[in-house]
Amino acid sequence: DPSVQLFLSADPDDYLDKASTLDQLSGQQVEALKKIQDKQRELAQERAEATEKLKDLASTRTELGNKKQEVQGKLAEAQKLLNTLTAKEKAALAAEQQRANRSSTDRVDLGNDSSASGRAAAAFSAAQSRIGSPYVYGATGPSSFDCSGLTSWAYAQAGVSIPRTSQAQAGYGAHLSQSQLQVGDLVFFYGDLHHVGLYAGNGQVLHAPHTGAVVRYESINNMPFQFGVRV
């Protein structure tokens, strides 16, 4: 027992000095142990966050895989339809596509609509700088894009990270009607929300339309508008 050792010690002062040193060492060990425990908790939290991110990545990969299969199926159907066209009809279709692409470089009246926010203005300006860039499925810029690749890239230039796919972007914020749209808002089309662009003002959309087209302006009425989302 420490009290017995002190009573029997030939040099009580020396014993007390040693006891004090041992107590200090014990205190240091406790402090070191607390730091180790804190670090373990921190590592456990980081591990949990990394696990969640891996789950998100796996989910996104699966979603993109399913989307790719869907698009490939639609492209196959479109190719079958194209194969049924006569040479004259194909030439007319190609001429129409060229006309639409050329119009993207022409002056478009965007009116005087204001931007939804500073970041929306920055995103829209970034997208404008890519007018004429070709549509490539799965591309996210900076030289080619698909529809959601353009919108996610544009907002990234404004310092805002939004989801990669059009369906995920559609759930990013509250839905807006066409009359509520402001420049830079995301605009979604078709029942399955497979297409997205940026509202450009005055009833115009800036988007990457489809294979064979380029990033360009187009009337919002040319596609079945569903709703807008403000980032």
Side-chain angles (χ1 to χ4, degrees):
D1 183 273
S3 60
V4 175
Q5 293 182 47
L6 176 61
F7 180 75
L8 297 177
S9 174
D11 188 347
D13 289 336
D14 181 61
Y15 173 81
L16 290 174
D17 287 341
K18 291 179 179 179
S20 176
T21 299
L22 288 172
D23 184 59
Q24 290 176 4
L25 288 173
S26 177
Q28 292 173 357
Q29 290 173 338
V30 170
E31 185 64 27
L33 181 60
K34 287 178 62 179
K35 289 181 179 179
I36 291 173
Q37 290 173 331
D38 289 341
K39 190 63 177 178
Q40 287 177 328
R41 283 192 290 269
E42 182 181 340
L43 289 172
Q45 178 64 26
E46 290 177 352
R47 186 180 296 112
E49 291 175 357
T51 299
E52 286 301 314
K53 288 181 180 179
L54 285 173
K55 289 181 180 178
D56 289 342
L57 286 172
S59 176
T60 300
R61 189 178 296 112
T62 300
E63 183 179 355
L64 287 174
N66 293 337
K67 185 66 176 177
K68 183 178 180 179
Q69 290 180 349
E70 178 185 347
V71 170
Q72 287 176 332
K74 290 182 178 179
L75 286 174
E77 292 176 4
Q79 188 60 51
K80 288 181 180 178
L81 177 61
L82 186 61
N83 291 338
T84 65
L85 298 179
T86 65
K88 184 177 181 179
E89 289 172 332
K90 289 180 180 179
L93 185 62
E96 174 62 22
Q97 186 60 59
Q98 289 177 359
R99 184 203 63 75
N101 285 341
R102 283 197 303 271
S103 70
S104 68
T105 60
D106 296 338
R107 183 174 180 82
V108 176
D109 182 9
L110 301 180
N112 298 312
D113 294 3
S114 60
S115 298
S117 65
R119 59 180 179 269
F124 181 69
S125 178
Q128 283 182 306
S129 73
R130 309 319 300 162
I131 289 175
S133 298
Y135 176 100
V136 175
Y137 177 75
T140 57
S143 57
S144 59
F145 304 87
D146 63 11
C147 66
S148 56
L150 175 65
T151 52
S152 58
W153 178 86
Y155 267 97
Q157 307 318 297
V160 182
S161 176
I162 63 175
R164 168 66 182 87
T165 66
S166 58
Q167 288 89 347
Q169 290 176 13
Y172 194 77
H175 293 181
L176 305 171
S177 66
Q178 189 168 336
S179 63
Q180 295 174 308
L181 294 176
Q182 291 182 271
V183 176
D185 285 338
L186 299 174
V187 282
F188 298 88
F189 301 92
Y190 303 98
D192 60 357
L193 308 177
H194 72 261
H195 190 64
V196 61
L198 294 168
Y199 186 64
N202 197 30
Q204 296 292 313
V205 176
L206 180 57
H207 67 151
H210 50 74
T211 300
V214 298
V215 175
R216 69 193 190 197
Y217 295 112
E218 191 164 345
S219 170
I220 196 172
N221 297 319
N222 287 355
M223 298 167 287
F225 172 78
Q226 302 300 305
F227 55 81
V229 164
R230 186 157 299 153
V231 176

